[in-house]
Amino acid sequence: MEWQFTPQQVVKGEVGYGLADFRRNLRAEVAQNLGAAAASDGTFDLLYDLCYWLATGRAPEHFIARFRHDPPVHQFLEQVAPWMHANGQMLGAILQRSIMDEVDNGATLEQALRAADGAARACEG
């Protein structure tokens, strides 16, 4: 995806771009690149999970390796992973902003981390 702002602007709160916005834009990107059916089925969920994996600082190879017993999915992920880096960075910025907002509202860091993780995972599937 392409944005008119940076992940740093999201983290700083200079731009209001949240999880729902990200998911809507990712779904549109998937539909544009892979077709409408892919945007509404497991392909979108798989790509969102990859973005979340990247957003939490994990290596794409480890995510892809989880699908080594499913050759078509494994190959698909190997092909698209290089293009998902920016999406992972943006999702990471959204999660960071969410954590900061929770802490500003009185949550402990641990509570804020759990809330951000829960919000991101609640969107899965």
Side-chain angles (χ1 to χ4, degrees), residues 1 15 55 81 93 97 100 107 111 113 116:
M1 289 182 280
V15 174
R97 181 73 249 164
M100 292 167 61
Q111 291 169 329
L113 290 169

Side-chain angles (χ1 to χ4, degrees), residues 66-102:
R66 298 168 64 202
F67 298 92
R68 66 184 171 278
H69 300 297
D70 189 346
V73 172
H74 189 267
Q75 183 179 10
F76 171 72
L77 288 170
E78 284 182 326
Q79 291 174 351
V80 299
W83 304 104
M84 300 305 284
H85 180 71
N87 292 345
Q89 286 185 321
M90 186 59 75
L91 182 54
I94 292 165
L95 296 173
Q96 287 177 39
R97 181 73 249 164
S98 174
I99 291 164
M100 292 167 61
D101 288 345
E102 289 287 327

